Amino acid sequence: MKKNVVFMACVVNKDRVKKYSNFDYFHYYIKNMHILLLVAHGSRREESNIEIESLSEKISTLKPKEFDKVIPAFLEFASPSIPEAIKECADLGATKVTILPYFLSAGVHITRDIPNEISEASQNTPGLDIQIANYFGSRDEIAEILMKTALDIK
């Protein structure tokens, strides 16, 4: 006896509801997932790592249309590491990952360590398009943010 199966999915994205009754369209949507990976140094102090996780969640609440998900990752001392987070992105079905280094200056971590970690991880995820954004400290707005912070005395 042959049974017909109807596949129905509902995807909520950026205040719009998309309904798919055709698996191919739903599969296309999932296959084109773009994840923002917020990469921080990592700390032996757990509270500092929790701050980065919280920042990732805050970025997610901004509902950036360019990214389907925001995930934190750490260079050292905390999990997930950069390779673990990239693998997680691939496991979630992402096709594109943007790495955002949350660092203030272009030291050895920006110029060597992070690119090496990404290069190594990308060998295990060949179908994943990984791009590295400029590090946070490269932004012109940093001076203004620092001044606002200096004047925010409690």
Side-chain angles (χ1 to χ4, degrees):
M1 176 156 73
K2 194 175 194 181
K3 293 184 179 180
N4 290 331
V5 177
V6 176
F7 180 85
M8 180 65 120
C10 181
V11 178
V12 178
N13 186 7
K14 314 298 178 267
D15 302 322
R16 292 188 315 258
V17 177
K18 296 180 180 180
K19 293 182 181 179
Y20 298 97
S21 59
N22 182 323
F23 180 77
D24 292 333
Y25 289 114
F26 182 70
H27 188 64
Y28 175 81
Y29 176 81
I30 297 299
K31 283 184 69 174
N32 289 298
M33 183 186 294
H34 186 181
I35 296 179
L36 176 64
L37 206 58
L38 181 65
V39 174
H41 186 275
S43 175
R44 290 182 182 95
R45 183 176 175 267
E46 185 59 29
E47 292 83 359
S48 297
N49 301 325
I50 291 170
E51 285 183 46
I52 301 304
E53 292 169 0
S54 176
L55 180 58
S56 294
E57 291 173 13
K58 286 178 187 176
I59 293 170
S60 291
T61 64
L62 297 174
K63 298 185 179 182
K65 65 181 179 183
E66 297 83 5
F67 304 105
D68 298 296
K69 191 168 181 63
V70 180
I71 298 175
F74 301 94
L75 183 60
E76 53 189 9
F77 304 123
S79 290
S81 66
I82 295 171
E84 289 169 344
I86 289 173
K87 182 183 181 316
E88 179 183 347
C89 292
D91 291 346
L92 287 169
T95 55
K96 187 173 183 182
V97 174
T98 297
I99 308 286
L100 175 57
Y102 187 54
F103 288 75
L104 290 177
S105 61
V108 72
H109 290 324
I110 293 296
T111 60
R112 186 189 68 205
D113 298 338
I114 292 173
N116 287 347
E117 292 281 320
I118 294 167
S119 177
E120 183 179 313
S122 67
Q123 293 174 5
N124 298 323
T125 55
L128 197 56
D129 177 16
I130 303 173
Q131 298 179 355
I132 306 174
N134 286 331
Y135 63 96
F136 176 68
S138 69
R139 301 293 303 187
D140 290 336
E141 299 91 344
I142 292 293
E144 184 179 336
I145 293 169
L146 287 171
M147 185 54 70
K148 286 180 181 179
T149 305
L151 296 173
D152 187 21
I153 299 172
K154 295 181 182 183

